[in-house]
Amino acid sequence: MNNFSFYNPTKIIFGKDSIDKIGVELSCAKYERVLLLAGKGSIKKNGVYNQVTKSLQANGVSFVEMWGVQPNPTLEKVRETIIFARENKVDAILAVGGGSVIDSAKAISVGFYLEDIWQFMQRKEVAKQALPLYTVLTMSATGSEMNSGFVLTNTETKQKWGSGSNLLFPKVSIIDPAAQFSLPWEQTVNGGLDAIAHILEYYFVDSQAIITRAVNKALMKTVIAMLDRLQTNPKDYSARANLAWSATMALNGISGIGMNGGDWACHTIEHALSAIHPQISHGAGLGVIFPAWIEYMALKDPERFADWFEAWGETNTITGLIAMRNKIRDWGSPVSLRDLCIHKDDLPTIVDKIMEFPVIGGMSKFKREDIEAILLLAY
Amino acid sequence: MNNFSFYNPTKIIFGKDSIDKIGVELSCAKYERVLLLAGKGSIKKNGVYNQVTKSLQANGVSFVEMWGVQPNPTLEKVRETIIFARENKVDAILAVGGGSVIDSAKAISVGFYLEDIWQFMQRKEVAKQALPLYTVLTMSATGSEMNSGFVLTNTETKQKWGSGSNLLFPKVSIIDPAAQFSLPWEQTVNGGLDAIAHILEYYFVDSQAIITRAVNKALMKTVIAMLDRLQTNPKDYSARANLAWSATMALNGISGIGMNGGDWACHTIEHALSAIHPQISHGAGLGVIFPAWIEYMALKDPERFADWFEAWGETNTITGLIAMRNKIRDWGSPVSLRDLCIHKDDLPTIVDKIMEFPVIGGMSKFKREDIEAILLLAY
């Protein structure tokens, strides 16, 4: 097992009616004014906004609101909100939404004290402080509610980059699985695929990290089984709860124990893909890319991947690949770049964009021909 | 899945040569004088003491030493060390040892600011602060390196009680699996049995906590497999590392997610047992008690326990019980109270001691006849 450090101070409050507790958490910390950050309005439809604001008001928490964070959240919106946050002299942020809202909140939280947030993303500026961050999660997928990383898209330069800081662990994250009852099926699947992709990024790095691989297999099997249950009954509380916690665990550090930071080639490829084609949701993009990555890697080294396919009900590469893609198709999710409406002519531009990243992959550093091969397998 | 909260701010530094990092961690925090707490001297033999003090000296960390913490650590020693710590005006504690040393350090850390630590254990005094705690782990077993609880024995009243506080999470815990190469086999097994018992205390509470049960099964299977490997080769680094992290995970909160705080009947029974017979080590006592507890529970509700026995290579109660006890016997550990040199005449006294606890068990509150039946099965 590789050496590792683990540190994760986020407090999780999980379960039915847990959203009501956000007011007490914020009022105990005695903030002057909190920025409530949200997306495009789904939290008004599903009642979460009402639960949150009722709890804030009942506990005398003063807040201002900023709406409109979109999937694949943008640098532009973050910059706009940093100005808004400074003008309103907020001293904490409450993100109410999914990974995009929480990621934006992290960028705002650290950007609040910086010259320019994109400079920070480019490692040209260093963060020394950040606004304290609280979250109410409404879609389980990215794990952002319990880690210190975030991803942002610069629409001008068409760059989707990741960054992070130990300053950015949320102080408190509230996860009420029942708040996800009304999620469209597509978003539920995208979340599950994102979680599976996080597990994958760590899965193959070190076969000596036996306990991590066993935990990760347990996480993956649970995600698969819970997606199957939710496809039949989206209001299955137990399935929502187990999917939610599995997705959090897939990227809170536990899944990466002894795995040397992980591989991350699939995420790099997907980030380039959705930077150029922002209509592609992150989870759906990953659901196309990671089977192609596995196909490319497993054909070279089948033994290493047998254990992975076991979680999909098979043990050999050929039947495993078919079973995995069939399952994703059964969930109604794209399984090829064609399904994502990418033309073959677009591939070179995507390869160019991917090659802009200084490093692609952790286990083996991919070259242009590796990327081309994977995209062809994904096509 | 039951509602839950999770919070664990301990930073873990894990791996080969990680002990060298303790000096930097302490010097960065700028303490005036650190109390180095240790056991009976094994760290002088295995080189850990040298590694630690070299790192402290190289980083200019001033420290005083207190030796002599014993297994089933005593209130008396804790009280003595609190006086010593006050006299020496220490402002942090570094525990170098196994669970007994770390548990004692927690009691000293919180007791430093209290009228009397036993009053705190009796819930008659409330803690408002504690000395910051650092640990270098030399025996994986209790999980104390990454949780906020501790157990202490009052030899006068023959009471072995548990307590805890959010103030008592170690700031930093260092785990170098190689430091455990020289552990006697018996202690390695005791540590593994303790970890298995922690997993057991959560395992059966809620079958709807699917992900927790799957993670816990992964932990248990790993502990069993690594013990088997270490019985052949005690210097198998990968086995030491995977056993170490599994034992930490068995009681750092992750194994209890959605499990309503766990059951803890086995621990209560063992605590009474080793309070009266302090020569019994905690792990060995648990290795006798938990199979008896499972026998008592599984015969009433076999289906609930089939999944547990699967980790021991069987799926039905009868063969599972035999396989589990055979495995423990193969590891050279006691499987009955007789093996622990308890006489049948001693049982009533032990039952009386157990009945002193206000509550025994979480899933069903045990009465005297339940305890008598379990002790007979353990006999």
Side-chain angles (χ1 to χ4, degrees):
Chain A
M1 195 192 284
N2 289 292
N3 286 5
F4 67 86
S5 280
F6 178 87
Y7 172 66
N8 193 324
T10 298
K11 176 178 168 186
I12 298 287
I13 304 175
F14 186 105
K16 287 174 190 157
D17 302 323
S18 53
I19 295 174
D20 299 346
K21 296 181 181 158
I22 190 61
V24 173
E25 292 293 328
L26 285 163
S27 77
C28 285
K30 301 191 192 305
Y31 299 115
E32 291 286 326
R33 190 177 295 117
V34 175
L35 169 66
L36 191 164
L37 186 71
K40 293 182 296 179
S42 65
I43 61 168
K44 286 218 167 152
K45 288 183 206 137
N46 64 13
V48 170
Y49 174 77
N50 268 350
Q51 282 176 279
V52 168
T53 50
K54 217 173 123 184
S55 177
L56 296 182
Q57 281 151 2
N59 290 281
V61 177
S62 162
F63 62 98
V64 291
E65 300 179 14
M66 173 59 93
W67 291 79
V69 175
Q70 59 189 52
N72 291 321
T74 66
L75 174 62
E76 203 182 351
K77 181 74 189 174
V78 162
R79 281 186 176 145
E80 176 197 336
T81 311
I82 290 172
I83 295 167
F84 177 80
R86 287 177 184 152
E87 282 171 357
N88 283 280
K89 298 193 172 61
V90 307
D91 52 1
I93 304 185
L94 169 60
V96 184
S100 298
V101 175
I102 299 175
D103 277 16
S104 298
K106 287 178 179 172
I108 295 158
S109 154
V110 68
F112 188 88
Y113 295 103
L114 293 170
E115 194 86 20
D116 178 61
I117 179 65
W118 194 251
Q119 296 263 350
F120 171 77
M121 310 268 310
Q122 291 175 306
R123 282 87 176 137
K124 291 181 189 165
E125 213 184 328
V126 175
K128 288 186 188 144
Q129 55 181 328
L131 289 171
L133 174 63
Y134 293 71
T135 88
V136 171
L137 185 70
T138 59
M139 177 181 160
S140 289
T142 69
S144 193
E145 67 279 9
M146 200 182 178
N147 66 40
S148 60
F150 65 97
V151 176
L152 212 57
T153 298
N154 183 334
T155 43
E156 245 173 70
T157 60
K158 293 198 176 174
Q159 287 171 311
K160 185 176 176 181
W161 278 24
S163 190
S165 158
N166 261 1
L167 299 164
L168 293 178
F169 284 104
K171 299 279 176 218
V172 177
S173 281
I174 291 185
I175 306 170
D176 180 350
Q180 304 191 33
F181 280 171
S182 61
L183 271 184
W185 169 241
E186 192 190 338
Q187 286 186 36
T188 302
V189 175
N190 286 347
L193 288 169
D194 196 13
I196 291 170
H198 294 151
I199 294 164
L200 170 137
E201 299 288 14
Y202 294 117
Y203 206 86
F204 307 101
V205 174
D206 179 10
S207 62
Q208 288 308 303
I210 298 162
I211 181 56
T212 307
R213 187 180 267 218
V215 165
N216 287 355
K217 195 172 178 180
L219 291 170
M220 182 160 61
K221 285 174 94 164
T222 307
V223 170
I224 294 168
M226 298 307 112
L227 282 181
D228 283 347
R229 278 168 61 169
L230 290 167
Q231 195 168 17
T232 313
N233 175 15
K235 296 196 176 177
D236 178 340
Y237 179 83
S238 169
R240 287 276 175 207
N242 281 285
L243 177 61
W245 183 245
S246 299
T248 300
M249 284 275 285
L251 203 54
N252 70 352
I254 295 292
S255 62
I257 290 295
M259 291 301 191
N260 233 355
D263 187 77
W264 299 103
C266 290
H267 272 74
T268 305
I269 295 171
E270 196 291 320
H271 285 175
L273 189 66
S274 56
I276 300 176
H277 302 279
Q279 80 283 4
I280 296 174
S281 86
H282 181 54
L286 286 167
V288 169
I289 298 301
F290 80 69
W293 180 88
I294 287 195
E295 187 170 357
Y296 185 68
M297 302 292 279
L299 291 173
K300 290 180 187 175
D301 185 1
E303 259 181 52
R304 195 174 196 173
F305 288 77
D307 183 58
W308 169 274
F309 287 123
E310 212 180 275
W312 299 82
E314 299 287 340
T315 48
N316 84 69
T317 305
I318 305 302
T319 55
L321 281 166
I322 295 170
M324 188 169 59
R325 285 206 174 95
N326 279 347
K327 178 62 86 177
I328 295 172
R329 191 182 286 115
D330 288 347
W331 288 332
S333 203
V335 293
S336 70
L337 290 173
R338 248 173 309 185
D339 291 349
L340 290 171
C341 305
I342 304 287
H343 296 277
K344 211 160 189 173
D345 301 346
D346 299 336
L347 295 188
T349 321
I350 297 169
V351 175
D352 287 345
K353 180 55 70 180
I354 295 167
M355 295 314 296
E356 283 179 15
F357 286 91
V359 180
I360 306 149
M363 296 191 300
S364 50
K365 314 289 175 195
F366 280 158
K367 295 185 184 135
R368 194 174 181 93
E369 54 265 34
D370 300 306
I371 302 297
E372 285 169 346
I374 290 171
L375 288 185
L376 274 180
L377 290 169
Y379 195 77
Chain B
M1 197 192 285
N2 290 292
N3 286 5
F4 66 87
S5 281
F6 178 86
Y7 173 66
N8 193 325
T10 298
K11 176 179 169 186
I12 298 287
I13 303 176
F14 186 106
K16 286 173 190 157
D17 302 322
S18 53
I19 295 175
D20 299 347
K21 297 182 180 157
I22 190 62
V24 174
E25 292 293 328
L26 284 163
S27 78
C28 285
K30 300 189 193 306
Y31 300 115
E32 291 286 328
R33 190 178 295 118
V34 175
L35 169 66
L36 191 164
L37 186 71
K40 293 181 294 177
S42 65
I43 61 167
K44 286 218 168 152
K45 289 183 206 136
N46 64 12
V48 170
Y49 174 77
N50 270 349
Q51 282 176 278
V52 168
T53 50
K54 218 173 123 183
S55 177
L56 297 181
Q57 282 152 2
N59 290 281
V61 178
S62 162
F63 62 98
V64 291
E65 301 178 14
M66 172 59 92
W67 292 79
V69 174
Q70 60 190 50
N72 291 319
T74 65
L75 174 62
E76 202 181 352
K77 181 74 188 173
V78 163
R79 282 187 175 143
E80 176 198 336
T81 311
I82 289 172
I83 293 167
F84 177 80
R86 287 178 185 152
E87 282 171 358
N88 283 280
K89 297 194 171 61
V90 308
D91 51 2
I93 304 185
L94 169 60
V96 184
S100 297
V101 175
I102 299 175
D103 277 18
S104 297
K106 287 178 180 172
I108 296 158
S109 154
V110 67
F112 188 88
Y113 295 104
L114 293 170
E115 193 87 24
D116 178 63
I117 179 65
W118 194 251
Q119 295 263 349
F120 171 77
M121 310 262 321
Q122 291 175 306
R123 283 85 174 139
K124 290 179 188 166
E125 216 185 324
V126 176
K128 287 185 190 147
Q129 55 180 329
L131 289 172
L133 175 62
Y134 293 70
T135 88
V136 171
L137 185 69
T138 60
M139 177 182 158
S140 289
T142 69
S144 192
E145 67 279 8
M146 200 182 178
N147 65 42
S148 60
F150 65 97
V151 175
L152 211 57
T153 298
N154 184 333
T155 43
E156 244 174 72
T157 61
K158 294 196 174 176
Q159 286 171 313
K160 186 175 175 180
W161 278 24
S163 189
S165 157
N166 262 2
L167 299 165
L168 293 178
F169 284 104
K171 299 280 174 216
V172 178
S173 281
I174 292 187
I175 306 171
D176 180 350
Q180 304 191 32
F181 281 170
S182 61
L183 271 183
W185 168 241
E186 192 190 337
Q187 286 186 35
T188 302
V189 175
N190 286 348
L193 288 169
D194 197 13
I196 292 171
H198 294 151
I199 293 163
L200 170 139
E201 299 290 14
Y202 295 117
Y203 207 87
F204 306 101
V205 174
D206 180 10
S207 63
Q208 288 307 303
I210 297 162
I211 182 54
T212 307
R213 186 180 269 217
V215 166
N216 287 356
K217 195 171 177 180
L219 291 171
M220 182 157 63
K221 285 173 94 163
T222 306
V223 171
I224 295 168
M226 298 308 112
L227 282 180
D228 282 347
R229 280 169 58 170
L230 290 168
Q231 194 167 19
T232 313
N233 175 15
K235 296 195 176 178
D236 177 340
Y237 180 83
S238 170
R240 286 278 176 206
N242 281 285
L243 177 60
W245 183 245
S246 299
T248 300
M249 284 275 285
L251 203 55
N252 71 351
I254 295 291
S255 62
I257 290 294
M259 291 301 191
N260 233 355
D263 186 78
W264 299 103
C266 290
H267 271 75
T268 305
I269 295 172
E270 195 291 321
H271 284 175
L273 189 64
S274 57
I276 300 177
H277 302 279
Q279 80 282 4
I280 297 173
S281 85
H282 181 53
L286 286 166
V288 168
I289 298 300
F290 79 70
W293 180 88
I294 287 194
E295 186 170 358
Y296 185 69
M297 302 293 280
L299 291 173
K300 289 181 186 173
D301 185 1
E303 260 182 52
R304 194 174 196 172
F305 288 77
D307 183 57
W308 170 273
F309 288 123
E310 213 179 274
W312 299 82
E314 299 287 340
T315 48
N316 83 69
T317 305
I318 304 301
T319 56
L321 281 167
I322 294 169
M324 186 168 59
R325 285 206 175 97
N326 280 347
K327 178 61 88 180
I328 295 171
R329 190 182 287 116
D330 288 347
W331 288 333
S333 203
V335 293
S336 69
L337 291 172
R338 250 174 307 185
D339 291 348
L340 291 170
C341 304
I342 305 286
H343 295 278
K344 210 160 189 173
D345 300 347
D346 299 336
L347 295 186
T349 320
I350 297 169
V351 175
D352 287 345
K353 179 56 68 178
I354 295 167
M355 296 313 295
E356 281 178 15
F357 287 92
V359 180
I360 307 149
M363 296 192 299
S364 52
K365 312 290 174 197
F366 279 158
K367 295 183 185 137
R368 192 174 183 93
E369 54 264 34
D370 299 305
I371 301 299
E372 285 170 344
I374 290 171
L375 288 185
L376 274 181
L377 290 169
Y379 195 75

